Amino acid sequence: MSDAHPAWLPPAAFTTVGGCRVLVHGGGLLVDTVFDEVVRACATHGGQARRTGDRHPAPSGVASGVGPSTPPGRAGAPPSPSGPAGDAVDLILAVRGAEPLPAPAARADDGEPLDDEGFLLTRADGLTVVLADTPAGLLYGLFHLVRLGAGALDVRATRRHRPALRRRMLDHWDNVARHPVMGQVERGYAGGSIFWRDGVALRDRERVRAYGRLLAACGINAVAVNNVNVHATEARLLIDRLDDVAWIADVLRPYGVRVHLSVTFAAPVLLGGLPTADPLDEAVRRWWESATARVYAHIPDFGGYLVKADSEGQPGPFGYGRDHADGANLLAGALAPHGGVVHWRAFVYQHQQDWRDRSTDRARAAYDHFAPLDGRFRDNVILQVKHGPIDFQPREPVSPVLAAMPATRLAVELQVTQEYTGQQRHACYLGPWWSEVLRFRPWGPDGRTVADLAAGGGLVAVSNVGDDPFWTGHPLAQANLYAFGRLAWDPGLDPVAVLDEWIGLTFPPATTGDPALVRETLHAVLDDSWRTYERYTAPLGVGFMVRPGHHYGPDVDGYEYTPWGTYHFADRDGVGVDRTRATGTGFTGQYPPPWSQVYESRERCPDELLLFFHHVPYGHVLHSGVTVVQHIYDTHFAGVAQVEQMRRRWRRLSGVIDPTVYERVAERLDEQLRCAVEWRDQINTYFFRKSGVPDARGRRIH
Amino acid sequence: MSDAHPAWLPPAAFTTVGGCRVLVHGGGLLVDTVFDEVVRACATHGGQARRTGDRHPAPSGVASGVGPSTPPGRAGAPPSPSGPAGDAVDLILAVRGAEPLPAPAARADDGEPLDDEGFLLTRADGLTVVLADTPAGLLYGLFHLVRLGAGALDVRATRRHRPALRRRMLDHWDNVARHPVMGQVERGYAGGSIFWRDGVALRDRERVRAYGRLLAACGINAVAVNNVNVHATEARLLIDRLDDVAWIADVLRPYGVRVHLSVTFAAPVLLGGLPTADPLDEAVRRWWESATARVYAHIPDFGGYLVKADSEGQPGPFGYGRDHADGANLLAGALAPHGGVVHWRAFVYQHQQDWRDRSTDRARAAYDHFAPLDGRFRDNVILQVKHGPIDFQPREPVSPVLAAMPATRLAVELQVTQEYTGQQRHACYLGPWWSEVLRFRPWGPDGRTVADLAAGGGLVAVSNVGDDPFWTGHPLAQANLYAFGRLAWDPGLDPVAVLDEWIGLTFPPATTGDPALVRETLHAVLDDSWRTYERYTAPLGVGFMVRPGHHYGPDVDGYEYTPWGTYHFADRDGVGVDRTRATGTGFTGQYPPPWSQVYESRERCPDELLLFFHHVPYGHVLHSGVTVVQHIYDTHFAGVAQVEQMRRRWRRLSGVIDPTVYERVAERLDEQLRCAVEWRDQINTYFFRKSGVPDARGRRIH
């Protein structure tokens, strides 16, 4: 489809599905997609594809659903002489609908309704059956079979699958016009945008279609196509560049991916020429209604708006003396008649804080702004909350907002693009981190998880994709995109098992010189890579310590005296931020018990978050038994040793895998090691200079 | 001439010269300029202008030398009925040349030769006489009279004037094409360039002519018209954009200002298509000869080349295994037949240093590179040495290179643009700083001064001028440009007296509501402003501590772990760079006695340079009697208090001076105070956190 790297959908991933006799039953655009996929897979791997139950003009039983992407002259297998199903079939993919199911599928059907996007996988009459109530469910069922690989024909138990979170969305921080500071993609580390370049829509159909296919195959069903920081050119997408947005929607639609748009709250003024954008103004309300109706006239299945308001310079309701419920409800009202939603970001804080002011705590901001508004948002408002209270650090506690708004639909926002986790120059598999977040239980072991709280809203992530040939700059960063989709579908998955899936799909055994070595090496490099990254960067949850602006590499004091609210308060005696109720900013009080007590207590607080919640002396002894400063030294030496080990392990793949992937990763591991050494030395030197405490093991500190 | 602010040449500055009867005697372009100036002044102030000894077509005795800039219909005074000189004259400006001098001038002439640019000022037959051997000398004599003001007609003693330094040059770090990071003017704080905009030559004749006039009036006689970092567009000036350079030369020529060009050492490769730029390659030599001949065909009085080689990424002879004498001599050889010079910058250092490597010392670099080459440079090479060993900090020792190269022509490079001294948002009069540098005696009290050492080379400064209406962004930064020219002419001048000159010219008494208040206020604001700036920024000569990249505002550790070689090594016990021979980098050994001993000794080293040369405990007691850390607190509180005082003083000028000047300065003083408070608080907090020592006076440290 595209010259880009096939990621987790190389042709070999379809060996099993494409090698058998497949019947696809049902009608509709996404069933066409399923059939196209099957036809192409069979053309490659020698199987046979048939179609029935298609309400489209072509008669059932003829391989006529072949889409334009099927190679000419190889239009699937010839129709079987037997009926719509039977002994010539190994696999049936069927949508329950107006037309009767093929016989084995009908026997497998227990009549229980399936989720909108769910499917049932079973075995009947000696063949594998996927049943769905919707074409989208069937598409997810197909990709599930692909993941099962050889096991797809060896299904034993009946199992129903449905996504735990309804919305599984990627936010592209892509600018249409190249921003003078932030570039084409804000915080993008994979080249330019796949949608836009220098002010115009790229309209690279093959690339965007390939992207939609990858998203569907890992379970993602929505994409916001422009940056949440909406600059002048991007603002116009809403009004006079809707054709560009509609084009993307058209290309992604066959893969079940809906398109959302980031809009500026000031649009009625900027684009509509109104004197105000006051959310309670009647003319403003009418303007949004009319603008939204025009969007839906272009894109009937448009997903909705994404808004960053009153945040880091973006306009918002505060400018008119209104609150964020007023602001979000305005847009939600315009979207409601069309079935759209507004994703309203809770990332609102004072970004011009005075570093001298120890009473203001950025961590408190989202809760302080939004918790009082619980219950005031319309049904189709989704409050989009960053997973942590600060900003996508490699370690933060879970945001207390998530436990504070029972009457609000909540989405959790993650960052797949590695802004603070190595910028796709470092191998850093984030699945384990997101898994910890999604499984976190704000009310303790018997309470609901974060994933439960987000079920009605969704899981959203900032995309790590660009026009790079490997999609993500670092080829191994593809695993993060994949894991995001998979965890959004099922937050209960083991992130290492997800990684294993990804390895199997991306490096199919038949295409490598030594499948066992490949699998072992990728696990060795990636399984613990997030914790490795944590070890050599900012210690014990204190965060930041990155170079201001670009956020790459260490600068311990880089943000210490800035207005950004991200401080560590290290002095000659100790380090950390006192966020307790007893003596600090009181942030711990935003959590329900037990965490409000656990975080409040220097003794009970988990080591990895100690400096997020407490200012402690360098000699404070951790649960691990070592002092804070010795922990800093130990983890930084260990982190670098682990990167050296990762690099050694990777070198064993030379000549074993695709050399372009090998080389790209090898060169990035060199940079990761260089940068990790820099982190180690700067952090260790900084704390040695401050504390005067020598390393207990006598290692070299500069 | 231009809409820009008149700076130190408002019409009122010509009250005395323009109010009397003036005879200008002599021929040539610069005498035309003198006569034009006189004619214009007389037209404004009621005097009379005549001309004799002009070899131009117009007959002598007729005011025919009126240039195109004279207002129509006001072409000077009518010719006097008497001869070329006589009782109708108050002032004679005459060049000794082929034609006989007017009688009083002839009587004043003692026959002693004058310097190329010198002049003699005397009184004969009851009138004021200026004599020169060259038109340039006469022009400087005219502007000297302007500076004398009312005193110009009250000359008592005969005095000969000549510049102490032959070349008094401004380097414009102006880019032709706007650089994506550095902008139109690198380290420019006064808007765009007066020469270039967005890749094209502006050719604003009025503006450039006004600029040349200001330069001549303060004694500057050379300008390099493009940035020493020569990017792609700028490289082409040398070859196919010579018309643009020649245009500037044509406009500046009437004011005695010669044009120089920054060139890239890689020009033979980049522009000539040669395979090498090796300075010993015969084809390269021929290429430079031919290119240089073409330059002189366009600009017969072209000044020469300016080269930044092997520095911060610029190409140079090291790339070919040659040294800087080879490189500089190559260009000097091409320039010699035409009388041009090459200014070769000694700013060569390892800018990718490892901060862990304490043995490498950037301060040593220029000496280590260049001192061994002494005697190997051609006569028309001028080695251009930054005044300090690092980079234009508000306090550095004088560069030891200046005392180490007796057989080399040396120019001292200053920075008028305030990169590290407040970026023309802070009022910081640098005259006292430059005066200290120029008067410094590397061999002790009986030896020569820095100014003596630079006599054969010159004084060069990075320009602070842009297309801002006030020329320099901050109106008071005009004083720095003025003082640079005046100190280059006469390094023995008292910088406060120079400032007083500037005040008198720029704020003529007749144009202000309260001349005494104006003069007193400007002195109060500016006299000590450099030391005030020093007080609230990096302490005791340690330097840097600025925000990386843009270099504005504090960031104590901003450069501490970078490759730039600018460190302070502060830890919990002390601060400073050990550059001694005994225990440090040995940099003190680059000085001759007595400074090699003075700087080596922690006890004898001047307080203001202590941390440049020594790493000392916070409790070290300075000559001033206080400890280092208490000095840091005291000076930072004092510096801010002084800025508050400056601001209060300035406010008294509201309604007294030109409101546009008043407002611009007032707004910048607000910013200066904000920024000074930030410096104070960050520096004090940083050292309090590190040292744990409380302020002896109990003031608030955050």
Side-chain angles (χ1 to χ4, degrees):
Chain A
M1 289 175 83
S2 148
D3 291 338
H5 186 266
W8 49 87
L9 291 181
F14 291 81
T15 305
T16 303
V17 168
C20 64
R21 293 159 298 181
V22 188
L23 175 67
V24 175
H25 174 86
L29 181 67
L30 271 65
V31 182
D32 293 349
T33 304
V34 171
F35 188 59
D36 287 350
E37 289 284 348
V38 169
V39 165
R40 184 163 46 175
C42 290
T44 304
H45 298 291
Q48 296 178 342
R50 283 192 299 134
R51 174 109 182 241
T52 61
D54 182 1
R55 282 167 297 168
H56 284 242
S60 83
V62 179
S64 58
V66 174
S69 59
T70 305
R74 305 184 62 188
S80 157
S82 64
D87 55 351
V89 172
D90 308 303
L91 167 62
I92 294 179
L93 292 143
V95 178
R96 297 192 290 210
E99 302 191 41
L101 288 170
R107 279 189 292 278
D109 183 10
D110 62 5
E112 289 288 312
L114 294 158
D115 182 271
D116 262 4
E117 299 180 306
F119 58 91
L120 178 138
L121 175 64
T122 189
R123 191 149 182 93
D125 300 348
L127 47 81
T128 299
V129 175
V130 175
L131 272 187
D133 278 352
T134 65
L138 199 68
L139 183 65
Y140 292 123
L142 168 69
F143 285 121
H144 183 73
L145 293 178
V146 170
R147 280 194 296 273
L148 290 177
L153 297 185
D154 193 26
V155 170
R156 285 164 200 275
T158 296
R159 197 171 150 206
R160 310 171 79 84
H161 295 262
R162 54 179 291 277
L165 296 110
R166 186 184 175 88
R167 276 190 174 68
R168 305 170 303 278
M169 179 169 174
L170 281 177
D171 287 357
H172 279 254
W173 286 358
D174 297 15
N175 295 314
V176 177
R178 183 177 295 271
H179 187 273
V181 176
M182 288 302 178
Q184 191 73 60
V185 180
E186 180 160 338
R187 309 303 179 189
Y189 312 104
S193 165
I194 58 169
F195 300 129
W196 320 101
R197 185 180 297 160
D198 294 332
V200 300
L202 273 176
R203 301 209 177 191
D204 180 344
R205 183 178 298 273
E206 293 307 300
R207 187 73 189 247
V208 175
R209 188 175 169 89
Y211 183 51
R213 188 170 173 249
L214 287 171
L215 297 190
C218 68
I220 294 166
N221 66 358
V223 159
V225 297
N226 64 306
N227 189 359
V228 289
N229 290 316
V230 180
H231 309 294
T233 305
E234 293 71 20
R236 307 212 66 84
L237 291 175
L238 177 63
I239 295 297
D240 46 21
R241 298 187 63 170
L242 275 172
D243 285 350
D244 288 334
V245 184
W247 182 92
I248 298 172
D250 288 345
V251 178
L252 292 178
R253 187 174 293 112
Y255 286 99
V257 178
R258 290 171 90 176
V259 159
H260 296 239
L261 198 58
S262 294
V263 297
T264 169
F265 195 75
V269 176
L270 287 178
L271 307 174
L274 298 190
T276 179
D278 181 348
L280 302 191
D281 183 273
E282 184 57 23
V284 169
R285 191 183 60 72
R286 281 198 307 268
W287 187 89
W288 277 110
E289 284 174 358
S290 149
T292 305
R294 280 196 305 275
V295 174
Y296 279 91
H298 277 75
I299 310 164
D301 58 353
F302 178 70
Y305 298 139
L306 169 60
V307 186
K308 175 177 180 178
D310 291 318
S311 176
E312 297 179 340
Q314 294 292 310
F318 286 164
Y320 303 95
R322 312 301 181 187
D323 65 29
H324 279 246
D326 297 328
N329 289 341
L330 168 72
L331 274 65
L335 287 158
H338 310 281
V341 295
V342 56
H343 283 253
W344 191 268
R345 294 181 89 224
F347 185 56
V348 177
Y349 69 102
Q350 162 62 287
H351 73 284
Q352 301 195 324
Q353 184 176 335
D354 188 338
W355 60 266
R356 304 163 192 82
D357 164 22
R358 294 245 190 156
S359 67
T360 300
D361 181 359
R362 172 167 166 182
R364 293 186 58 111
Y367 181 104
D368 287 343
H369 281 299
F370 286 93
L373 302 179
D374 187 40
R376 285 202 38 225
F377 293 101
R378 294 182 61 133
D379 281 352
N380 62 330
V381 172
I382 296 175
L383 189 68
Q384 186 163 314
V385 183
K386 288 192 181 189
H387 66 82
I390 303 281
D391 190 16
F392 299 136
Q393 298 304 292
R395 181 71 74 173
E396 295 187 44
V398 160
S399 170
V401 174
L402 295 168
M405 304 193 67
T408 305
R409 285 173 77 183
L410 297 172
V412 174
E413 185 177 307
L414 308 174
Q415 198 182 38
V416 180
T417 194
Q418 291 172 237
E419 177 176 0
Y420 295 101
T421 50
Q423 304 198 348
Q424 282 131 265
R425 286 183 267 186
H426 296 220
C428 182
Y429 175 56
L430 293 164
W433 179 209
W434 301 332
S435 178
E436 280 196 18
V437 169
L438 292 167
R439 292 168 189 235
F440 180 78
R441 295 176 191 273
W443 293 274
D446 301 326
R448 280 171 298 163
T449 64
V450 165
D452 295 335
L453 296 170
L459 196 66
V460 181
V462 186
S463 166
N464 66 346
V465 161
D467 68 1
D468 172 68
F470 293 102
W471 296 95
T472 52
H474 199 310
L476 304 186
Q478 291 176 2
N480 286 326
L481 184 58
Y482 182 83
F484 164 71
R486 296 288 291 132
L487 290 171
W489 180 283
D490 183 357
L493 290 173
D494 171 8
V496 173
V498 170
L499 183 66
D500 196 68
E501 263 178 32
W502 174 79
I503 295 170
L505 290 165
T506 306
F507 300 89
T511 66
T512 74
D514 186 341
L517 179 68
V518 170
R519 195 173 287 268
E520 174 199 324
T521 303
L522 282 160
H523 278 293
V525 168
L526 290 176
D527 283 3
D528 200 41
S529 56
W530 159 59
R531 287 188 183 84
T532 295
Y533 185 84
E534 183 185 25
R535 281 182 195 103
Y536 63 75
T537 56
L540 296 165
V542 76
F544 276 81
M545 300 192 170
V546 292
R547 279 264 147 198
H550 58 58
H551 297 167
Y552 186 74
D555 186 348
V556 179
D557 271 4
Y559 277 101
E560 192 59 15
Y561 302 95
T562 71
W564 293 97
T566 50
Y567 314 117
H568 55 67
F569 301 121
D571 61 20
R572 75 200 313 263
D573 302 314
V575 57
V577 188
D578 185 351
R579 292 192 161 106
T580 63
R581 302 188 287 289
T583 55
T585 68
F587 171 68
T588 58
Q590 293 187 343
Y591 290 88
W595 294 106
S596 58
Q597 276 89 45
V598 170
Y599 292 146
E600 177 77 7
S601 161
R602 190 186 280 197
E603 285 64 44
R604 294 175 66 198
C605 183
D607 283 354
E608 70 270 16
L609 288 170
L610 182 67
L611 301 185
F612 191 94
F613 285 107
H614 297 276
H615 186 92
V616 300
Y618 293 117
H620 175 89
V621 177
L622 298 170
H623 297 124
S624 67
V626 300
T627 63
V628 164
V629 70
Q630 189 59 41
H631 170 92
I632 291 174
Y633 300 151
D634 288 348
T635 50
H636 285 78
F637 283 111
V640 168
Q642 286 169 307
V643 176
E644 286 167 341
Q645 171 81 340
M646 284 159 71
R647 200 166 66 138
R648 272 197 301 277
R649 300 293 289 256
W650 183 257
R651 284 182 177 158
R652 294 163 64 195
L653 294 190
S654 176
V656 176
I657 59 165
D658 173 357
T660 65
V661 173
Y662 174 79
E663 288 299 338
R664 175 74 76 97
V665 173
E667 135 209 321
R668 303 226 162 191
L669 282 166
D670 289 348
E671 164 58 17
Q672 181 169 6
L673 179 59
R674 185 205 65 74
C675 188
V677 166
E678 202 57 42
W679 271 101
R680 177 194 67 193
D681 290 346
Q682 288 196 32
I683 296 272
N684 284 348
T685 297
Y686 182 96
F687 284 103
F688 175 66
R689 287 190 188 177
K690 273 239 154 100
S691 71
V693 178
D695 174 35
R697 295 170 56 191
R699 290 161 294 195
R700 176 82 188 271
I701 295 179
H702 297 271
Chain B
M1 291 176 85
S2 147
D3 291 337
H5 186 264
W8 49 89
L9 291 181
F14 290 82
T15 304
T16 302
V17 168
C20 62
R21 294 159 298 181
V22 188
L23 175 67
V24 174
H25 174 85
L29 180 66
L30 271 64
V31 183
D32 293 348
T33 304
V34 170
F35 187 58
D36 287 351
E37 289 285 347
V38 170
V39 164
R40 186 165 42 176
C42 290
T44 304
H45 299 291
Q48 297 179 342
R50 285 192 298 132
R51 174 106 181 242
T52 61
D54 184 1
R55 285 166 295 169
H56 284 240
S60 83
V62 178
S64 59
V66 173
S69 60
T70 306
R74 306 182 61 188
S80 156
S82 65
D87 54 352
V89 170
D90 309 303
L91 166 62
I92 295 179
L93 292 144
V95 178
R96 295 191 292 209
E99 301 192 42
L101 288 171
R107 277 191 290 281
D109 184 10
D110 60 6
E112 289 290 311
L114 294 158
D115 184 272
D116 264 4
E117 299 179 308
F119 58 91
L120 177 136
L121 176 63
T122 189
R123 190 147 183 96
D125 300 348
L127 45 81
T128 299
V129 175
V130 175
L131 273 187
D133 278 352
T134 65
L138 200 69
L139 183 65
Y140 292 123
L142 168 68
F143 285 121
H144 183 73
L145 294 177
V146 171
R147 281 194 296 272
L148 290 176
L153 296 186
D154 192 25
V155 170
R156 286 161 199 276
T158 295
R159 197 170 151 206
R160 310 171 79 83
H161 296 260
R162 54 178 292 277
L165 296 109
R166 188 185 174 87
R167 275 189 175 70
R168 305 169 304 278
M169 179 169 173
L170 281 177
D171 289 355
H172 279 254
W173 287 357
D174 296 15
N175 296 315
V176 177
R178 183 177 296 271
H179 187 275
V181 176
M182 289 301 179
Q184 191 73 61
V185 180
E186 180 161 337
R187 308 304 179 188
Y189 312 104
S193 165
I194 59 169
F195 299 129
W196 320 101
R197 187 180 296 158
D198 294 333
V200 301
L202 273 177
R203 301 209 177 190
D204 180 344
R205 182 179 299 274
E206 292 307 299
R207 185 75 189 246
V208 174
R209 190 175 167 88
Y211 183 51
R213 186 170 175 252
L214 288 171
L215 297 189
C218 68
I220 293 165
N221 66 358
V223 159
V225 298
N226 64 305
N227 188 0
V228 290
N229 290 317
V230 180
H231 309 293
T233 305
E234 294 71 19
R236 307 211 66 84
L237 292 175
L238 177 63
I239 296 295
D240 46 20
R241 299 187 63 171
L242 275 171
D243 285 351
D244 288 335
V245 183
W247 182 91
I248 298 171
D250 288 345
V251 178
L252 293 177
R253 187 175 292 112
Y255 286 98
V257 178
R258 291 171 88 177
V259 158
H260 296 239
L261 198 59
S262 294
V263 296
T264 169
F265 195 76
V269 176
L270 287 178
L271 307 174
L274 298 190
T276 178
D278 182 348
L280 301 192
D281 183 275
E282 187 55 24
V284 169
R285 190 183 60 73
R286 283 198 306 271
W287 188 87
W288 278 109
E289 284 174 1
S290 150
T292 305
R294 280 196 305 274
V295 174
Y296 279 91
H298 278 75
I299 310 164
D301 58 353
F302 178 69
Y305 298 138
L306 169 61
V307 186
K308 175 178 180 177
D310 291 319
S311 176
E312 298 179 339
Q314 293 292 309
F318 286 166
Y320 304 96
R322 312 301 182 188
D323 65 29
H324 278 246
D326 298 326
N329 290 340
L330 166 73
L331 274 65
L335 288 158
H338 309 282
V341 295
V342 56
H343 284 253
W344 190 269
R345 295 179 91 224
F347 184 57
V348 177
Y349 70 101
Q350 163 60 289
H351 73 283
Q352 302 196 322
Q353 184 178 335
D354 187 337
W355 60 268
R356 303 165 192 81
D357 165 23
R358 294 247 190 154
S359 67
T360 300
D361 180 1
R362 173 168 165 180
R364 294 185 58 111
Y367 182 103
D368 287 342
H369 281 300
F370 286 93
L373 302 179
D374 188 39
R376 286 199 41 223
F377 292 101
R378 294 182 61 133
D379 280 352
N380 63 329
V381 172
I382 296 174
L383 191 68
Q384 186 163 314
V385 182
K386 288 192 180 188
H387 67 82
I390 303 279
D391 190 16
F392 300 136
Q393 297 306 292
R395 180 71 76 172
E396 295 186 45
V398 160
S399 171
V401 174
L402 296 167
M405 304 192 67
T408 305
R409 287 173 76 185
L410 298 172
V412 174
E413 184 177 310
L414 308 173
Q415 199 180 40
V416 181
T417 193
Q418 292 172 237
E419 177 176 0
Y420 296 101
T421 50
Q423 304 198 348
Q424 282 131 264
R425 285 183 266 185
H426 297 220
C428 182
Y429 175 56
L430 292 165
W433 177 209
W434 302 332
S435 177
E436 281 198 19
V437 169
L438 292 167
R439 293 168 188 236
F440 180 77
R441 296 178 190 272
W443 294 274
D446 300 327
R448 281 170 297 163
T449 64
V450 164
D452 295 335
L453 296 170
L459 196 66
V460 181
V462 186
S463 165
N464 67 345
V465 161
D467 68 1
D468 171 68
F470 293 102
W471 296 95
T472 52
H474 199 311
L476 304 185
Q478 292 177 1
N480 286 326
L481 183 58
Y482 182 83
F484 164 71
R486 296 289 291 134
L487 291 171
W489 181 282
D490 183 356
L493 291 173
D494 171 8
V496 173
V498 170
L499 183 66
D500 197 66
E501 263 179 33
W502 174 80
I503 295 169
L505 290 165
T506 306
F507 300 88
T511 66
T512 73
D514 186 341
L517 179 68
V518 170
R519 195 173 289 267
E520 174 199 325
T521 302
L522 283 160
H523 279 294
V525 168
L526 289 175
D527 283 3
D528 200 40
S529 56
W530 159 59
R531 287 188 184 84
T532 295
Y533 185 85
E534 184 186 24
R535 282 182 195 103
Y536 61 74
T537 57
L540 296 164
V542 76
F544 277 80
M545 301 193 169
V546 292
R547 279 264 147 198
H550 57 60
H551 297 166
Y552 186 76
D555 185 350
V556 180
D557 270 4
Y559 277 102
E560 191 61 14
Y561 302 94
T562 72
W564 293 96
T566 50
Y567 313 118
H568 54 67
F569 300 123
D571 60 21
R572 75 200 311 265
D573 302 314
V575 58
V577 188
D578 184 352
R579 292 191 162 107
T580 63
R581 302 189 285 290
T583 54
T585 69
F587 171 69
T588 58
Q590 293 186 344
Y591 290 88
W595 293 107
S596 57
Q597 277 87 46
V598 171
Y599 291 148
E600 177 76 7
S601 160
R602 190 186 281 198
E603 285 64 43
R604 295 175 65 199
C605 183
D607 283 354
E608 68 270 17
L609 288 171
L610 183 67
L611 300 184
F612 191 94
F613 286 107
H614 297 277
H615 186 92
V616 301
Y618 292 117
H620 175 89
V621 177
L622 298 169
H623 298 123
S624 67
V626 300
T627 63
V628 164
V629 69
Q630 190 59 42
H631 170 92
I632 291 173
Y633 301 153
D634 288 349
T635 50
H636 285 78
F637 284 111
V640 168
Q642 285 169 307
V643 177
E644 285 167 342
Q645 172 80 340
M646 285 159 70
R647 202 166 65 138
R648 273 196 301 274
R649 300 294 288 256
W650 183 257
R651 285 183 177 158
R652 295 164 62 196
L653 294 190
S654 177
V656 176
I657 60 166
D658 173 356
T660 65
V661 174
Y662 174 80
E663 288 298 339
R664 175 75 75 98
V665 173
E667 134 210 322
R668 303 225 164 192
L669 282 166
D670 290 348
E671 164 58 16
Q672 181 169 6
L673 180 58
R674 185 205 65 74
C675 188
V677 166
E678 201 58 44
W679 272 100
R680 177 195 67 192
D681 289 346
Q682 288 197 30
I683 296 270
N684 284 348
T685 296
Y686 182 96
F687 285 104
F688 175 66
R689 286 190 189 178
K690 272 239 154 100
S691 71
V693 178
D695 174 36
R697 294 171 57 191
R699 289 162 294 195
R700 176 83 188 269
I701 294 178
H702 297 271

